[in-house]
Amino acid sequence: MKIARFSRIGFILAAAGSAVGLGNIWKFPYITGENGGGAFVFVYLITVLMIGFTLMIAEMLIGYLGRSDSVSNFEKLAPRNKNLWKYGGFMSVAGLLIMIFYAPVIGWTFHFVFLSLSTLPSSVEIASEHFNTLVSMDITTQIFYHTLVFVFVTTVVTKGIKGGIEKLNFVLMPVLVVTMGGMFLYALSLSGFSKAWEFMFYPDWDKLNSAALVTAVGHAFFTLSLGMATILTYSASLPKDSNLVRSSLIVIALDTGIALVAGLTLFTFLYEYGATPSAGPGLVFISLPAVFYDMGALGHIFAFSFFVALASAGLTSAVSLVEPFIQYLVDRFGFSRLKASLSSGLFFYLFGIIAILSISKEYGAYFSFGSKSFFDWIDFITASVMLPVGGLVMSIFVGYVMEKERIASQLQRQLGRIYPLWYFSIRYIVPIALVVVILNLIGVLTL
Ligand code: PHE
């Protein structure tokens, strides 16, 4: 089946759009806050460079050489045991599963876009009550916004790589960069900035425990969209003669840059207005709206722009989460784009409603298993388990299964002198780091 390819810049924007998501603007600042700042940021940056960079090139390579959906690519590129390796493509399901909780969270950002146009909460207590009511009681509002997310994402992916995904990124990525850049410039002029800088870049090693270490590594994968066949699926539509190394570097630089800018900006605002950085998941939905209120009229403009940026970041990632499975249905089962998009969309839509119910006061008990709600289980199983496992499978595939000459002929020239280092990393550093993370997560190994 002939797929319309990305343009060169379209690919960079789409891959960066996938990488830059709720993970950068919502999650990164609050996990940095919870884990004590500097030392955590340091581990995250090292992981991005040493593991993220290596794996991103590997994932792009599988897509670029295979030119098809993830299952077919593993099958095509495995010199032997094709039937076994095609299961390497299993990770294309992970994105759909992630959407089960990712879509409701984008829904929350929609709600806050509208809220910032009316009344902002005048204190952290009120903000906290507002957010908790939304999440635990206001099922109707959540389902309403969740439905909007479903309709929006499904419409975009129905139009395909070029007419849908590339176009969306052409519009939303500049919105995101300009908004976050503008707020950052303002943050630079505030006295809280130096405190924020200190918090993020002066490591206090005592605060770095093993849990923080694993969180940092896990987050590096999540934020770069690795291990889920997203980058792989997008790379299957790269134009011919693309430079995978350069593309990886740009995507990683944009993703990391935006996370750091978001962190610095939010912490500056929090310090400036007397809030603390260690606010947890409620940081952008509770502390920040209260800070925006304190800023007066400017705060409304900032609040609106910020939540539009957050929603944009979420939406460009969302389309990349569903695309791998759609591509799979189209390539392997001959589904039309429309049918594939609708069935994938309905899947995350319906289970997303269960996720919403599972964190509500009224129905939570019916949809909780053990210590976690359905919402938290899906988050844990996908982001913490499936993604490192997906990354591990890819590193083993590229490091040990694919033909060496094929890899070298593609990457040796692009990587130049660091090619041997990259090859060493994909064979040893990445798999070992991932095994450690996985064992730690399932509780077999305590660091
Ligand atoms: N990278 C996205 C974020 O930071 C999430 C994502 C993960 C998107 C995996 C696609 C694939 O929010």
Side-chain angles (χ1 to χ4, degrees), residues 208-345:
L208 194 71
N209 53 23
S210 73
L213 209 90
V214 176
T215 309
V217 177
H219 183 68
F221 278 85
F222 185 78
T223 188
L224 292 175
S225 302
L226 293 173
M228 277 180 225
T230 285
I231 296 293
L232 186 159
T233 302
Y234 275 7
S235 306
S237 300
L238 265 167
K240 283 213 175 77
D241 300 322
S242 292
N243 187 323
L244 306 184
V245 176
R246 195 184 315 139
S247 307
S248 302
L249 278 176
I250 300 176
V251 171
I252 290 177
L254 277 169
D255 185 72
T256 312
I258 292 183
L260 296 178
V261 160
L264 282 170
T265 308
L266 300 200
F267 292 138
T268 302
F269 289 172
L270 294 179
Y271 278 125
E272 189 77 17
Y273 291 90
T276 53
S278 54
L283 189 105
V284 306
F285 294 115
I286 297 171
S287 316
L288 204 59
V291 163
F292 285 140
Y293 174 85
D294 286 339
M295 288 181 177
L298 185 65
H300 272 279
I301 300 173
F302 271 0
F304 178 73
S305 325
F306 175 78
F307 287 112
V308 167
L310 191 58
S312 307
L315 289 171
T316 52
S317 297
V319 292
S320 81
L321 283 163
V322 285
E323 179 60 20
F325 200 71
I326 293 177
Q327 194 74 59
Y328 169 67
L329 291 178
V330 170
D331 283 359
R332 303 283 294 202
F333 297 97
F335 273 40
S336 66
R337 265 245 151 216
L338 180 67
K339 195 168 151 202
S341 310
L342 267 181
S343 41
S344 307

Side-chain angles (χ1 to χ4, degrees), residues 28-319:
F28 176 71
Y30 92 72
I31 54 177
T32 301
E34 281 181 338
N35 290 288
F40 176 84
V41 174
F42 182 80
V43 176
Y44 156 79
L45 288 177
I46 294 286
T47 316
V48 164
L49 264 183
M50 304 235 333
I51 302 180
F53 177 58
T54 309
L55 201 59
M56 177 147 318
I57 293 178
E59 191 167 337
M60 277 192 191
L61 184 76
I62 302 176
Y64 183 68
L65 293 179
R67 298 255 143 223
S68 193
D69 68 286
S70 73
V71 174
S72 310
N73 284 357
F74 274 90
E75 197 177 50
K76 267 193 206 162
L77 298 175
R80 290 170 296 281
N81 302 329
K82 290 184 183 291
N83 258 333
L84 177 75
W85 274 108
K86 77 173 187 220
Y87 292 103
F90 80 95
M91 57 278 260
S92 58
V93 191
L96 269 197
L97 296 178
I98 289 190
M99 276 301 279
I100 293 173
F101 70 89
Y102 208 83
V105 179
I106 301 178
W108 300 346
T109 69
F110 280 15
H111 170 73
F112 276 83
V113 169
F114 291 106
L115 184 76
S116 58
L117 290 175
S118 52
T119 37
L120 286 168
S122 56
S123 69
V124 173
E125 290 71 41
I126 298 176
S128 160
E129 202 185 302
H130 180 95
F131 181 65
N132 290 332
T133 308
L134 170 74
V135 171
S136 66
M137 267 137 59
D138 199 349
I139 297 171
T140 330
T141 305
Q142 282 191 85
I143 294 186
F144 172 71
Y145 289 114
H146 179 56
T147 310
L148 288 189
V149 175
F150 156 70
V151 172
F152 188 93
V153 170
T154 309
T155 311
V156 172
V157 286
T158 305
K159 297 189 188 334
I161 286 273
K162 189 119 192 118
I165 295 180
E166 180 168 311
K167 272 210 184 113
L168 176 80
N169 280 284
F170 261 113
V171 179
L172 293 190
M173 283 307 279
V175 169
L176 173 71
V177 171
V178 170
T179 313
M180 291 310 294
M183 285 174 62
F184 179 66
L185 288 182
Y186 177 70
L188 274 177
S189 73
L190 300 176
S191 60
F193 185 80
S194 55
K195 270 196 186 159
W197 182 271
E198 211 171 284
F199 180 71
M200 278 186 68
F201 296 117
Y202 288 24
D204 176 356
W205 297 109
D206 293 344
K207 293 211 172 119
L208 194 71
N209 53 23
S210 73
L213 209 90
V214 176
T215 309
V217 177
H219 183 68
F221 278 85
F222 185 78
T223 188
L224 292 175
S225 302
L226 293 173
M228 277 180 225
T230 285
I231 296 293
L232 186 159
T233 302
Y234 275 7
S235 306
S237 300
L238 265 167
K240 283 213 175 77
D241 300 322
S242 292
N243 187 323
L244 306 184
V245 176
R246 195 184 315 139
S247 307
S248 302
L249 278 176
I250 300 176
V251 171
I252 290 177
L254 277 169
D255 185 72
T256 312
I258 292 183
L260 296 178
V261 160
L264 282 170
T265 308
L266 300 200
F267 292 138
T268 302
F269 289 172
L270 294 179
Y271 278 125
E272 189 77 17
Y273 291 90
T276 53
S278 54
L283 189 105
V284 306
F285 294 115
I286 297 171
S287 316
L288 204 59
V291 163
F292 285 140
Y293 174 85
D294 286 339
M295 288 181 177
L298 185 65
H300 272 279
I301 300 173
F302 271 0
F304 178 73
S305 325
F306 175 78
F307 287 112
V308 167
L310 191 58
S312 307
L315 289 171
T316 52
S317 297
V319 292

